[in-house]
Amino acid sequence: MSRAREFADLAGSADAGGLTGRNILINGGQTVAQRSTSTSMAHDGTTDAFGVDRFRISMGGTHEQLDGTFAQVTDHPLSVNGKSSKWTTGTAESSYDSDEYFYFAQLIEAQNVQHLQYGGSNAQSVTLSFYVKSSVTGTFACNLYKPDNTLRIINKTYVISSANTWEKKTITFPADTGGGGINNDNGQGLYVVWHLAAGSGSVGGGSNGAWKTYGGLTDWADGQATNAVATTAGATWQVTDCQLEVGEQATPFEHEDAGTTLQKCQRYYAERKNTTGNSKYYGGTLQAYNTSSIYGVIADYPVTMRATPTVSQSGDFGAYTASSGNNGMGTTITNLSASSHAWLTGGWGGNTNLTAGHASVMYALSNAKLIADAEL
């Protein structure tokens, strides 16, 4: 068998497990949604939010009316059980001002794109592929944006030809040999952005088709030619099977097992939930610091997180200590902090029934959860 035939067969079997690890994006199939399966957004409310894990949607500028929902839905071009992310416009923006912009994106950790070798003569081209469906037809832009060292950006466009029809798009971005490269750290390495709308002030800067030094908002969405997703009530735009890979050829979407995708997502965001109908008790090394607070390790994170996370709570938690056979009950947690390796508690308040120095137990009421956020 010729080498050419071997490579062709390998590429053809990619969907069955060959060429694993080639997708630089995480959760490209839109399957993991730890936070929620639906998020409401509005010009005067939430303007930047994550939907499915690792993907966020943002509206910037002076939107006066725009609102809508960003949701994980069971709608997929190939699978009856597949998922996609869907934006649905509620109240439309009456006119799109020059400073307004609206986009869907994933931020990639810098040390995960070192193999692109940006900033040098060995820099690699990359290919972005995805399925998209929208009630709006027209020309849309996608960009890569590099925030490290000299800011760099490139936009490319794709066309949605048929309304409410899944279409596969493939975009190749050339190598970036300028701009000082991407730092080898756990910070922001590369944005991958799908533009949904862009005012006149965010197009026309010369970033369409070629890498350039980022000159500000005018470069952000160069090439975007329609704002109808934002200016049409009930308009929809949805996407799935997003893949970014080295080279100038798109291979079949890389399916990976659910546990692997979840673990990749938990590096950036993780939750511990009590989904039972009863109180759930958390073990660990806990001790009452005084009569109104406890401290110690509640539980290790499920995976090593990107950085020390911001830790918060949702729902009601409390604690008690054993004191001469009597349980002294604590009150709802009011504050949490974190170390690099464990949940730490602190800041119970308004209760004097705990016993300083005694071992303690923490409990969560039904549907309460602990949240660790280390997103880029």
Side-chain angles (χ1 to χ4, degrees), residues 141-173:
C142 287
N143 80 31
L144 301 182
Y145 170 71
K146 182 184 74 69
D148 268 342
N149 299 302
T150 301
L151 308 184
R152 301 276 286 173
I153 191 168
I154 183 173
N155 273 282
K156 287 266 190 120
T157 61
Y158 67 93
V159 176
I160 295 179
S161 302
S162 301
N164 302 311
T165 303
W166 282 111
E167 299 176 358
K168 185 172 184 179
K169 305 301 176 184
T170 301
I171 302 171
T172 296
F173 295 92

Side-chain angles (χ1 to χ4, degrees), residues 208-277:
N208 187 10
W211 283 98
K212 65 163 291 190
T213 298
Y214 184 64
L217 184 61
T218 185
D219 286 324
W220 181 241
D222 200 8
Q224 180 76 14
T226 178
N227 297 323
V229 169
T231 59
T232 306
T236 60
W237 181 92
Q238 62 192 107
V239 70
T240 192
D241 285 9
C242 304
Q243 183 156 289
L244 182 71
E245 57 193 310
V246 174
E248 298 181 359
Q249 299 294 325
T251 61
F253 179 71
E254 181 181 353
H255 293 278
E256 62 185 11
D257 66 272
T260 298
T261 302
L262 176 60
Q263 285 188 331
K264 288 181 179 179
C265 293
Q266 286 174 329
R267 177 170 172 78
Y268 305 92
Y269 181 90
E271 293 183 349
R272 297 190 71 224
K273 300 179 182 179
N274 176 14
T275 57
T276 69

